[in-house]
Amino acid sequence: MTEDVIIRKIEEQDFSQIVALFREFAGFQNISERMVNSVERMMAEKDMVNGFVAETLDKQIIGYVTWFFCYYTFVGKSLYMDDLYVSPAYRASGIGTKLMNEVIKVAKGSGCHKLRWQVSNWNHPAVAFYQKLGAQIDDIERNCDLVFG
């Protein structure tokens, strides 16, 4: 199945399909009420959008990963992977690994010292996936969000 899927950079024309996947992901996380992003917002903030999509041969986007560069005081230049999501019908077929590998390439190719992301404690398949990649997962820190409209 993965040979029928193309991994490529996010483009503006993808925004409507990506926003639909954002909603799908928020539902999966049981936090649909927090999903306030829109195609209009993405267009206005397009210079901030970094990521890759997994696209079928018929141009359907079935997964995405988003990321941004950051600086961590303990290690220096790093890359933060905000979300990695694959639609349920396409999971366990290697698409998540392909998306993840693209992010790892960007991080290493950009001289980053670390790649960081979050995973929900209850999402056991994702935890196992990340551990298989060699990720160290801890229970030390918690999310702190200040949301500004």
Side-chain angles (χ1 to χ4, degrees), residues 17-26 61-64 85 87:
Q17 287 190 71
I18 292 172
V19 166
L21 286 177
F22 290 172
R23 284 190 192 99
E24 189 176 299
F25 183 49
I61 296 174
I62 57 169
Y64 68 90
Y85 182 73
S87 290

Side-chain angles (χ1 to χ4, degrees), residues 70-104:
C70 56
Y71 191 86
Y72 289 113
T73 54
F74 291 0
V75 298
K77 183 179 179 181
S78 301
L79 191 141
Y80 188 89
M81 183 177 69
D82 186 44
D83 283 331
L84 170 63
Y85 182 73
V86 177
S87 290
Y90 297 93
R91 291 185 189 150
S93 63
I95 295 168
T97 301
K98 282 184 157 188
L99 287 165
M100 189 80 189
N101 286 339
E102 289 300 314
V103 173
I104 291 168

